[in-house]
């Protein structure tokens, strides 16, 4: 299908230039706070202005320009299976999608909600492997009740490496765990050099607003740069709580925090693949709850995507689905569909959050299956369409072929050329009441449950080869010995 | 309108400068400082608490009103010396060891201050030992243990056990909160209170402190 993409811009060119200039000014005049001595030393060696006492770093305009010039314009995030490698920019003009990260709760298909169990991680990857509109996965936050609390991330990564056919985005939970997570990932592909060449994982590193990087996240940046592991650096501000209450102010701070991480990464490892990932929230000024889906924050996400994609030609990633609703109700689907569609028409290269509800605190396979459907619609919107004589059907219209009393558009050559183009969501009703009732009067949730059951009844499509799985298990044993305080 | 009613209105409106000036005016008129506090400032902040509980106003309204009240209290504080603390109780709050997330804890501290509690904020990543030191030093009525992660919520239970081992558990009420925390978890680890948000935490602490008095 030809790409005739239409796009929402949140800023004028003047506003974008102003934001870029202010963002760089912030890094030059205020700088960042980074709790990581070896990284501070390396940044000083790169020319940054580093105060080892206060652990503050400032950058020059020249360094910023040099770093940004080093960001690769094209790169690939690889998949363990080799079947879902993700080329950036997306050659088809689409966005990529990923599952929610960080949720402590799992809601089963029967509606029971509890902390994530290991067997549910298996179930999750079985479902994610089957989702055609889902491109990469994260680590569900397995509870410390079921695996050692000091090593939740390494235990969950073991499962991801063994069972996910798709690229894995890793969120480490402890500074000491980062090396082990990289060791396990390298074991899954046959070594560190192979991981550098074919990164099947990428990392999450997060700032603490404003412009602070605690030791764990600095360690993630540092080791990712060392081993050439791609990073999707994040900022997760909450407007009105730890960043300015305005959507614009929060988009600005989050972008600056992500921008600083990219600058540091590219100074330490020029050419490292990065995807700017501002994940914005806001605080409800009545309930004080953190919200994922308020309207202004959707606009802030669009603005942040634009800062990177349009302002710096750096690929960007943010929430593309999600809800503040606690259940699979109308609010849920209004929020996530409007968010997805707005983001699809924006500039982002990756839309995340699939499968989540309750402001990203709970994941649910039924929700994931429905998000897969929504993403399909949004991808169609993203692609847009061409407007020309062929798509207008000019030749047939000007020839007046419809004047033939036996003519039907069903039989026109133009229809034969284009009838397959409309997007058809897999589970949506497109029939009348009579047939719907005959087939059991099923609503979307019922159909999603049936799809889930069908997926789980089918053997999983992917498993890491046994030799690699054994290598991963060996690294897990080493990690356990090093990390778990018995 | 009496000067006390005017003071209440200024607190409700969050008029910091106006409240300070009006308290000074009341003092200059020879009004009793205790009456200024109890009949002027407190009814205002209590009204704000009620309105917030009913969902009629926003958090910043509460914080502004608290600021206005505090500005007034500063004026009469020297005159109240010897009559005791004007706050209704003391709370020690922190995010537990291993957890650096502090938005929720900061909100709880702000809302508790707005409810006229004295708040000792120990920060984030705080160990049981530091809580015990703070209990011995500040003799709080309540302590708040915040955790955002399933990996760090266990620390809430560890800290409660440390309080028991140190013999200070019965001196304080233990409140817990955080995204993964539930009443079931509170029951399991022996916490006295689980609240779902900062405002409820402040209300619980206020009710407990005033019921003690």
């Amino acid at each position: 299908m030809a790409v005739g993409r239409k796009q929402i811009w949140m800023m004028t060119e003047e506003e974008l230039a102003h934001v870029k200039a202010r963002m760089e000014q912030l890094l030059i005049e205020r700088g960042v706070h980074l709790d990581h001595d070896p990284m501070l030393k390396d940044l000083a060696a790169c020319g940054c202005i580093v105060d080892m006492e206060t652990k503050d770093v400032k950058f020059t305009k020249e360094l910023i320009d040099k770093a940004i010039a080093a960001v690769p314009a094209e790169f690939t995030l690889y998949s363990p299976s080799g079947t879902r490698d993700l080329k950036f920019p997306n050659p088809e003009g689409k966005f990529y999608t990923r599952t929610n990260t960080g949720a402590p709760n799992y809601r089963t298909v029967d509606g029971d909600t509890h902390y994530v169990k290991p067997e549910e991680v298996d179930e999750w990857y079985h479902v994610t492997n089957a989702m055609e509109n889902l491109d990469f996965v994260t680590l569900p936050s397995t509870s410390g009740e079921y695996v050692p609390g000091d090593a939740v991330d390494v235990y969950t990564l073991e499962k991801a490496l063994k069972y996910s056919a798709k690229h894995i985005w890793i969120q480490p939970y402890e500074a000491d765990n980062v090396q082990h997570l990289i060791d396990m990932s390298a074991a899954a592909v046959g070594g560190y050099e192979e991981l550098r060449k074919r990164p099947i994982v990428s990392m999450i590193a997060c700032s603490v607003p404003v412009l602070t990087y605690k030791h764990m996240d600095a360690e993630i940046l540092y080791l990712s740069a060392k081993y050439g592991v791609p990073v999707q650096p994040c900022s997760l501000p909450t407007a009105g709580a730890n960043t300015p209450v305005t959507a614009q102010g929060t988009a600005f701070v989050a972008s600056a925090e992500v921008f600083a991480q990219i600058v540091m990464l590219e100074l330490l490892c020029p050419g490292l693949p990065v995807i700017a990932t501002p994940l914005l929230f806001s605080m409800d000024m009545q309930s004080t709850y953190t919200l994922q889906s308020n309207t202004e924050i959707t606009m802030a996400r669009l603005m942040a995507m634009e800062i990177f994609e349009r302002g710096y030609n750096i690929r960007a990633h943010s929430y593309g689905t999600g809800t503040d609703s606690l259940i699979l109700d109308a609010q849920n689907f209004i929020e996530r569909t409007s968010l997805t569609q707005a983001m699809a028409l924006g500039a982002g290269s990756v839309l995340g959050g699939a499968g989540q509800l309750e402001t990203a605190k709970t994941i649910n396979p039924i929700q994931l299956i429905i998000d897969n459907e929504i993403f399909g619609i949004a991808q169609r919107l993203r692609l847009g369409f061409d407007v020309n004589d062929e798509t207008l059907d000019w030749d047939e219209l000007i020839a007046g072929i419809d004047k033939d009393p036996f003519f039907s558009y069903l039989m026109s050559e133009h229809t034969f050329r284009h009838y397959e183009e409309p997007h058809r969501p897999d589970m949506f009703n497109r029939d009348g009441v009579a047939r719907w009732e005959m087939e059991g009067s099923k609503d979307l949730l019922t159909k999603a449950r049936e799809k889930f059951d069908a997926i789980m009844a089918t053997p999983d499509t992917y498993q890491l080869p046994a030799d690699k799985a054994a290598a991963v298990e060996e690294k897990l044993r080493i990690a356990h010995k090093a990390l778990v305080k018995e | 309108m009496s000067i006390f009613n005017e003071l209440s209105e200024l607190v409700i409106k969050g008029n910091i400068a106006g409240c300070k000036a009006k308290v000074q005016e009341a003092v200059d008129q020879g009004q009793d400082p205790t009456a200024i506090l109890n009949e002027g400032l407190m009814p205002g902040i209590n009204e704000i608490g009620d309105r917030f509980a009913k969902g009629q106003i926003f958090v910043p309204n509460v914080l502004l009103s608290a600021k206005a009240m505090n500005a007034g209290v500063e004026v009469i504080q020297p005159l109240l010396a010897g009559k005791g603390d004007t706050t209704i109780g003391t709370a020690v709050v922190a995010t537990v060891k291993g957890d650096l997330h502090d938005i929720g804890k900061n909100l709880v501290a702000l809302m508790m201050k707005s409810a006229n509690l004295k708040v000792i904020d120990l920060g984030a990543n705080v160990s049981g030992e530091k809580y015990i030191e703070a209990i011995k030093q500040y003799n709080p009525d309540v302590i708040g243990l915040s955790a955002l992660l399933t990996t760090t919520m266990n620390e809430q239970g560890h800290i409660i056990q440390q309080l028991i081992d140190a013999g200070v558990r019965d001196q304080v009420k233990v409140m817990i909160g955080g995204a993964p925390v539930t009443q079931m978890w509170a029951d399991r680890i022996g916490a006295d209170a689980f609240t779902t948000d900062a405002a409820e935490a402040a209300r619980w602490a206020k009710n407990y402190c005033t019921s003690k008095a």
Side-chain angles (χ1 to χ4, degrees):
Chain A
M1 186 181 295
V3 174
R5 189 169 168 209
K6 310 297 180 287
Q7 199 159 34
I8 297 172
W9 293 132
M10 299 303 292
M11 291 177 282
T12 64
E13 286 190 13
E14 292 73 22
E15 287 169 335
L16 177 60
H18 178 70
V19 168
K20 285 177 65 181
R22 285 291 196 222
M23 206 161 76
E24 294 177 14
Q25 188 183 357
L26 206 55
L27 267 58
I28 292 166
E29 294 182 13
R30 173 176 165 152
V32 304
H33 181 79
L34 181 81
D35 183 13
H36 198 287
D37 287 348
M39 188 166 166
L40 287 168
K41 283 178 190 158
D42 285 1
L43 288 171
C46 291
C48 299
I49 304 145
V50 175
D51 185 329
M52 293 299 294
E53 285 292 310
T54 61
K55 300 181 188 294
D56 291 332
V57 187
K58 290 182 180 174
F59 307 87
T60 63
K61 172 68 175 155
E62 292 71 27
L63 280 174
I64 291 171
D65 290 346
K66 180 183 165 189
I68 297 308
V71 176
E74 295 180 2
F75 59 89
T76 301
L77 299 183
Y78 289 85
S79 56
S81 62
T83 59
R84 293 298 291 249
D85 296 344
L86 311 174
K87 287 186 179 174
F88 287 85
N90 187 311
E92 296 176 79
K94 293 181 174 179
F95 53 82
Y96 292 117
T97 63
R98 57 105 182 151
T99 52
N100 182 64
T101 187
N105 303 317
Y106 196 84
R107 185 165 302 166
T108 68
V109 290
D110 295 321
D112 181 35
T113 306
H114 45 249
Y115 300 135
V116 181
K117 298 175 183 175
E119 60 268 29
E120 288 160 349
V121 177
D122 298 346
E123 176 180 282
W124 188 250
Y125 289 133
H126 195 142
V127 178
T128 59
N129 282 344
M131 296 291 99
E132 72 279 12
N133 294 317
L134 187 77
D135 296 300
F136 66 98
V137 298
T138 54
L139 305 184
S141 297
T142 316
S143 170
E145 289 188 26
Y146 308 108
V147 296
D150 304 312
V152 160
D153 45 6
V154 294
Y155 271 89
T156 312
L157 179 63
E158 185 217 10
K159 287 183 172 295
L161 290 169
K162 282 182 170 175
Y163 303 123
S164 175
K166 298 177 180 178
H167 180 84
I168 302 157
W169 193 35
I170 303 174
Q171 177 162 23
Y173 285 166
E174 304 280 352
D176 291 343
N177 299 15
V178 181
Q179 180 69 58
H180 295 288
L181 293 165
I182 292 174
D183 293 347
M184 290 169 67
S185 304
V189 289
Y192 298 99
E193 272 316 301
E194 196 58 27
L195 181 65
R196 188 184 293 270
K197 277 190 271 178
R198 203 168 69 83
I200 60 164
V201 300
S202 52
M203 287 285 181
I204 297 174
C206 298
S207 51
V208 177
V210 172
L211 291 163
T212 294
Y213 305 89
K214 58 186 189 291
H215 180 71
M216 180 186 79
D217 295 286
E219 177 78 352
I220 296 164
L221 297 173
Y222 186 68
L223 290 182
S224 296
K226 181 178 172 183
Y227 288 97
V229 175
V231 183
Q232 303 188 48
C234 299
S235 170
L236 291 96
T238 302
N242 59 3
T243 49
V245 72
T246 50
Q248 303 91 315
T250 287
F252 173 69
V253 171
S255 297
E257 290 186 341
V258 169
F259 189 66
Q261 290 179 79
I262 291 172
V263 168
M264 290 188 282
L265 284 167
E266 296 299 332
L267 290 174
L268 296 175
C269 181
L272 185 74
V274 291
I275 301 173
T277 309
L279 298 170
L280 315 177
F281 296 89
S282 66
M283 189 179 79
D284 182 79
M285 288 294 167
Q286 236 293 311
S287 68
T288 70
Y289 265 77
T290 296
L291 303 179
Q292 193 255 8
S293 302
N294 112 323
T295 309
E296 284 76 14
I297 281 301
T298 297
M299 293 160 73
R301 289 187 191 113
L302 288 164
M303 175 178 162
M305 297 298 90
E306 188 175 336
I307 289 170
F308 288 100
E309 294 270 0
R310 184 184 179 199
Y312 291 99
N313 194 28
I314 292 173
R315 304 290 71 82
H317 166 181
S318 193
Y319 280 121
T321 183
T323 181
D324 296 314
S325 171
L326 312 180
I327 54 175
L328 282 80
D329 63 353
Q331 177 192 335
N332 176 332
F333 292 110
I334 290 167
E335 284 183 338
R336 66 195 323 120
T337 303
S338 60
L339 168 59
T340 308
Q341 296 200 343
M343 294 298 286
L345 294 171
S349 291
V350 180
L351 305 189
Q356 63 156 282
L357 53 157
E358 201 192 347
T359 318
K361 289 199 281 290
T362 297
I363 53 174
N364 169 249
I366 297 296
Q367 186 69 74
L368 180 70
I369 289 166
I370 295 173
D371 276 338
N372 182 65
E373 204 84 307
I374 298 171
F375 281 149
I377 299 166
Q379 288 285 22
R380 181 63 196 87
L381 275 174
R382 163 68 68 101
L383 289 176
F385 53 45
D386 293 329
V387 179
N388 53 40
D389 281 350
E390 169 58 20
T391 57
L392 296 178
D393 193 17
W394 173 250
D395 289 347
E396 289 184 348
L397 288 167
I398 196 66
I401 61 170
D402 55 293
K403 291 178 182 171
D404 178 344
F406 299 105
F407 173 79
S408 160
Y409 271 103
L410 258 179
M411 296 298 291
S412 96
E413 289 299 324
H414 184 262
T415 298
F416 294 151
R417 287 197 297 276
H418 295 281
Y419 75 95
E420 286 183 317
E421 289 173 9
H423 178 71
R424 299 186 84 244
D426 183 35
M427 298 183 294
F428 281 17
N429 178 64
R430 291 179 212 82
D431 227 323
V433 172
R435 183 184 292 272
W436 179 71
E437 285 180 344
M438 234 164 29
E439 292 181 351
S441 309
K442 293 171 190 168
D443 63 8
L444 183 63
L445 295 179
T446 307
K447 290 179 185 176
R449 173 60 190 264
E450 286 181 352
K451 189 166 181 176
F452 169 84
D453 290 339
I455 290 166
M456 295 309 293
T458 308
D460 203 352
T461 53
Y462 175 76
Q463 199 156 348
L464 185 67
D467 59 328
K468 299 281 195 322
V472 169
E473 284 170 9
E474 177 56 23
K475 293 293 183 189
L476 175 63
R477 272 193 288 276
I478 294 168
H480 180 100
K481 199 173 169 190
L483 301 173
V484 178
K485 300 163 195 83
E486 303 288 3
Chain B
M1 185 185 280
S2 76
I3 196 159
F4 292 148
N5 287 342
E6 287 180 66
L7 276 171
S8 296
E9 280 303 310
L10 289 164
V11 170
I12 289 166
K13 285 176 183 162
N15 185 336
I16 298 165
C19 189
K20 189 172 182 176
K22 188 60 72 178
V23 170
Q24 188 60 56
E25 186 185 323
V27 170
D28 293 343
Q29 285 178 6
Q31 299 285 355
D32 174 17
T34 306
I36 293 172
L37 179 67
N38 292 336
E39 296 171 41
L41 301 175
M42 288 303 292
I45 203 72
N46 288 340
E47 172 64 21
I48 280 291
D50 288 345
R51 289 185 191 183
F52 184 73
K54 289 175 190 163
Q56 294 170 344
I57 56 171
F58 296 103
V59 172
N61 298 125
V62 179
L63 300 178
L64 264 177
S65 291
K67 275 191 167 187
M69 175 169 155
N70 289 339
V73 169
E74 276 178 22
V75 175
I76 53 173
Q77 193 89 58
L79 306 171
L80 291 166
K83 294 189 178 180
D85 196 343
T86 56
T87 55
I88 58 171
T90 301
V92 166
V93 297
T95 306
V96 300
K97 187 179 169 187
D99 201 325
L100 294 164
H101 299 88
D102 62 1
I103 293 177
K105 179 266 298 174
N106 291 344
L107 275 168
V108 168
L110 280 170
M111 296 304 285
M112 283 183 169
K113 283 179 189 170
S114 302
N116 202 25
L117 274 93
K118 180 179 176 183
V119 178
I120 313 296
D121 185 346
L122 301 181
N125 193 25
V126 171
S127 64
E129 289 82 6
K130 285 190 179 167
Y131 271 104
I132 292 165
E133 278 174 33
I135 290 169
K136 290 177 179 172
Q137 185 177 350
Y138 300 108
N139 190 28
D141 302 283
V142 298
I143 63 170
L145 282 60
S146 173
L148 186 81
L149 308 171
T150 51
T151 50
T152 57
M153 59 191 277
N154 289 325
E155 190 60 21
Q156 294 175 325
H158 296 156
I159 290 173
I160 290 175
Q161 187 57 50
Q162 284 178 282
L163 300 184
I164 293 168
D165 295 343
V168 297
R169 174 66 183 87
D170 294 337
Q171 295 177 27
V172 292
K173 291 291 180 191
V174 177
M175 305 175 65
I176 64 167
V181 177
T182 61
Q183 183 62 54
M184 197 187 298
W185 177 247
D187 295 340
R188 190 165 144 189
I189 64 173
D192 296 303
F194 155 72
T195 56
T196 55
D197 57 54
E200 196 190 328
R203 275 195 294 278
W204 194 94
K206 181 183 173 184
N207 289 341
Y208 171 66
C209 291
T210 47
S211 70
K212 261 180 81 180

